[in-house]
Amino acid sequence: MGVDKIWVLAESVEGVPTATTLELLAAARSLGSTVEAFTWGPDTESLAPVLGAHGATRAYTVGDVSPGLPGAPVAAAMAAQVQAGNAPDMVLVATTYDGRDVAGRLSARLDRPVLTNVVNLTVEDGVPTSHHAIFGGTQVAKARFTGPGPAIFVVRAKSFVPEETGGGPAEVVTVEVPDLGRANDARVLERHVEERAGPKLDEADVVVSGGRGLGQPDNYAMVEELARLLHGAPGASRAIVDAGWVPYAYQVGQTGKTVKPTLYVACGISGATQHMVGMKGAKNIIAINKDQEAPIFGIADLGVVGDVHKVLPRLIDALKARS
Amino acid sequence: MNVAVCVKQIPDPAAPGELDPSTLTLKRDGKLILDDSDSYGVEMALQLADQAGGGEVTLVSMAPRGETGGLRTALAMGAAKAILVSDDALAGSDALGTAKVLAAAIKRISPDLVVAATESTDGYTGTTPAQVAELLGMPSVTFANKIEVADGAVRVHRQTEAGYDEVECPLPALVTVTAGVVEPRYPSFKGIMAAKSKPIEELKVADLGLDPTQVGAAGARQEMVSVEEAEERQAGEVVVDEGDAHERIIAFLEQLKVI
């Protein structure tokens, strides 16, 4: 069995396909012969040129789902296509809030398992094979499905590099959403955009993160200040997110964002596997921690054994003096 | 208002994980504890039931060997009772198999609200709650960082890439909570003593009317092919701060042309 058709769940923000969508299209193109997008939203025609330029020949859409959430209707529409005989060999979904809803519901609806936290995909002996970083990224496990498809994979951000193919606009095909019963009863009343100065965490060239070693919530201001001075984004370890110092959106790691910046600065972060799996893809890592046995030093290009409360203020002052 | 909370009992995350060499799956043969991620859901459920002026919080869990350690912790926090599905046939279950078991168990109590964590700390698949909702034909709102219940509906702040959405959903519904949504209480001594006599109903796959081939390793329909060492990242230079470490950092930043 080879891989012929692959569907990519295409997410968009304000009429523009997301970075992870383009990453998945690149992955799909390297694995299968036909790549199609499956999407939703008020204006799929506006997405079609970009989706096409990244290799999708067709874009199925369920249309505008608002004020509902996409999980139930998109999964049901996908399942209906599959059950009607239009089935792909693989479905690729990004590890996003909506992506996981769609993947979970599709899996249950089709009674097909799902493999998640995928960091690479290959086809081995004709079988789609997913790669997973385990034990904080020290080992790579490979897995595959043993039953009938479609094979549903949920892929972590930054696992593939987007690439244009120069293809024409994808052909937009509107598909039916079957009756959803109560599953689609949630309604979005209002969307709130939280203004964050500087680049987005998962797109920033520089990420400065803080952890428990900062001691108390107020000290996170130093992390934000350093991030600002380096034109980067502030991030956080799970420990201080759980403790309520900063919102979940700041979290870097297994349960948070995956980042691959040019530079990652870890301040007062010991390097739990949970954290490392989300940042060890950074090109360069600086770690500041008072415990010289901290695992983070095992992967840092520059490790500073010292007190963040002393090193950070001096570093911030020195950077301010230069600007 | 009756609330069901999905809780997972996991190996202590502080202990290094280990794979079973024959199946390449995570070993779960030690003592299991309440997943920290679930303590937020338990606390949220207790507060919501309390605010609604009554109702019960029921824990729903699937674990090997009749394990109740984690359930007792959540009962000590204040949950009224628990349903534990424990059966040798469930060994090797994947997220969908687990969801089938949890959904079947939840059906028995017909709760107004189902609460789960966004993902477990050990497996972190992150799809089980959506699978449970789909199997129950229930609406779901995932990644909640604020929850209120009023007039037969749940109102949630749902995390988004850009900020958050205010979402309203009529009950019954399933909600997943992010860490930090509430401050989980520590069980009191009184709570711990009371938990010892709270009811835990232990069920088998057959009690739930599930086909054994649909769950466990057979139902998972997936296999681990291999485990290899990842490309090692080498440790670089380590300096001890003598009051001048910031200068070394500045030099490194210049070298990277970040500044």
Side-chain angles (χ1 to χ4, degrees):
Chain A
M1 126 192 189
V3 175
D4 177 19
K5 189 159 67 181
I6 303 179
W7 282 354
V8 168
L9 181 72
E11 300 183 52
S12 63
V13 176
E14 289 169 4
V16 180
T18 57
T20 48
T21 298
L22 304 185
E23 290 164 22
L24 295 187
L25 286 171
R29 228 174 45 246
S30 71
L31 297 165
S33 45
T34 305
V35 176
E36 296 177 339
F38 213 109
T39 191
W40 71 94
D43 186 10
T44 304
E45 289 293 346
S46 71
L47 303 177
V50 183
L51 296 174
H54 286 80
T57 52
R58 190 175 275 183
Y60 296 101
T61 182
V62 302
D64 194 4
V65 299
S66 65
L69 295 170
V74 175
M78 279 181 153
Q81 288 295 314
V82 170
Q83 282 153 354
N86 179 20
D89 299 306
M90 296 168 73
V91 179
L92 305 186
V93 179
T95 307
T96 56
Y97 305 115
D98 290 334
R100 293 205 279 188
D101 282 0
V102 172
R105 285 186 177 271
L106 178 65
S107 154
R109 225 173 155 98
L110 287 177
D111 191 25
R112 291 288 178 273
V114 51
L115 281 161
T116 63
N117 289 300
V118 174
V119 296
N120 194 11
L121 286 160
T122 47
V123 177
E124 299 184 11
D125 302 326
V127 183
T129 305
S130 54
H131 303 218
H132 309 257
I134 58 170
F135 299 137
T138 55
Q139 295 179 359
V140 177
K142 287 189 192 177
R144 64 186 178 199
F145 295 109
T146 55
I152 309 168
F153 295 99
V154 181
V155 183
R156 292 190 70 95
K158 307 275 174 114
S159 298
F160 299 93
V161 180
E163 199 182 281
E164 288 199 32
T165 58
E171 175 203 359
V172 175
V173 178
T174 302
V175 291
E176 290 286 314
V177 178
D179 179 34
L180 297 168
R182 285 207 57 241
N184 196 28
D185 274 3
R187 289 287 168 267
V188 177
L189 304 179
E190 204 173 339
R191 295 186 189 278
H192 296 259
V193 175
E194 283 172 347
E195 291 300 333
R196 268 182 75 158
K200 283 174 67 183
L201 179 57
D202 47 0
E203 290 170 7
D205 241 4
V206 176
V207 173
V208 182
S209 284
R212 187 72 88 175
L214 290 169
Q216 50 187 359
D218 292 352
N219 289 335
Y220 188 77
M222 292 192 293
V223 169
E224 288 175 310
E225 175 77 1
L226 181 57
R228 194 182 60 77
L229 287 165
L230 297 176
H231 310 291
S237 72
R238 177 172 172 177
I240 69 168
V241 172
D242 284 7
W245 296 10
V246 292
Y248 175 75
Y250 284 59
Q251 188 169 319
V252 173
Q254 178 181 292
T255 48
K257 292 260 178 5
T258 304
V259 298
K260 283 193 177 176
T262 306
L263 173 65
Y264 191 86
V265 187
C267 308
I269 291 174
S270 62
T273 54
Q274 139 78 236
H275 186 72
M276 305 246 259
V277 81
M279 48 65 79
K280 67 181 303 192
K283 284 201 192 73
N284 299 280
I285 297 170
I286 299 176
I288 308 165
N289 201 295
K290 64 173 191 264
D291 174 13
Q292 64 177 6
E293 302 298 320
I296 192 83
F297 289 129
I299 64 163
D301 300 281
L302 175 62
V304 173
V305 181
D307 187 346
V308 285
H309 307 98
K310 291 180 181 154
V311 178
L312 282 182
R314 291 199 309 253
L315 179 59
I316 288 167
D317 285 348
L319 286 168
K320 278 186 182 161
R322 294 169 62 100
S323 54
Chain B
M1 184 178 68
N2 292 319
V3 187
V5 187
C6 301
V7 299
K8 190 168 181 184
Q9 304 177 84
I10 64 168
D12 189 341
E18 213 184 321
L19 296 180
D20 182 324
S22 60
T23 59
L24 298 179
T25 53
L26 205 59
K27 274 192 182 175
R28 295 166 58 85
D29 50 6
K31 192 175 156 38
L32 303 181
I33 61 171
L34 177 67
D35 187 342
D36 247 2
S37 305
D38 290 327
S39 60
Y40 301 97
V42 173
E43 178 64 42
M44 194 77 240
L46 291 170
Q47 290 187 15
L48 291 173
D50 199 36
Q51 284 157 17
E56 269 185 346
V57 173
T58 305
L59 310 168
V60 180
S61 187
M62 171 180 134
R65 304 178 306 279
E67 181 68 57
T68 58
L71 288 178
R72 291 291 174 201
T73 304
L75 290 169
M77 288 172 72
K81 59 188 181 12
I83 298 176
L84 172 66
V85 187
S86 194
D87 194 321
D88 291 343
L90 294 171
S93 288
D94 70 332
L96 182 57
T98 305
K100 287 174 183 172
V101 167
L102 294 176
I106 290 165
K107 245 184 207 162
R108 295 165 69 93
I109 47 175
S110 306
D112 302 297
L113 181 67
V114 180
V115 177
T118 56
E119 63 193 17
S120 65
T121 304
D122 63 340
Y124 61 101
T125 309
T127 54
T128 307
Q131 289 165 326
V132 169
E134 183 69 27
L135 291 167
L136 291 171
M138 219 181 238
S140 58
V141 187
T142 50
F143 288 92
N145 54 33
K146 186 180 171 197
I147 306 175
E148 290 165 356
V149 172
D151 307 323
V154 62
R155 193 175 275 215
V156 166
H157 285 188
R158 178 182 190 240
Q159 185 80 48
T160 62
E161 298 295 336
Y164 67 92
D165 285 352
E166 238 177 283
V167 184
E168 190 176 71
C169 186
L171 298 175
L174 178 145
V175 174
T176 74
V177 296
T178 59
V181 63
V182 277
E183 183 66 35
R185 71 192 70 181
Y186 285 105
S188 63
F189 178 71
K190 207 175 133 198
I192 294 167
M193 295 311 289
K196 290 182 179 174
S197 56
K198 285 180 177 173
I200 297 180
E201 184 185 10
E202 198 176 320
L203 300 173
K204 299 284 179 200
V205 170
D207 299 325
L208 295 173
L210 289 173
D211 176 350
T213 63
Q214 290 275 297
V215 294
R221 293 163 288 167
Q222 58 195 260
E223 62 183 4
M224 294 277 273
V225 184
S226 64
V227 175
E228 291 155 24
E229 293 299 316
E231 217 173 287
E232 279 285 336
R233 219 193 144 101
Q234 297 298 323
E237 178 191 355
V238 176
V239 297
V240 177
D241 179 38
E242 307 278 1
D244 57 356
H246 60 287
E247 289 167 14
R248 181 66 195 89
I249 295 174
I250 296 272
F252 189 75
L253 295 175
E254 282 173 340
Q255 189 193 325
L256 296 180
K257 299 190 165 48
V258 169
I259 53 172

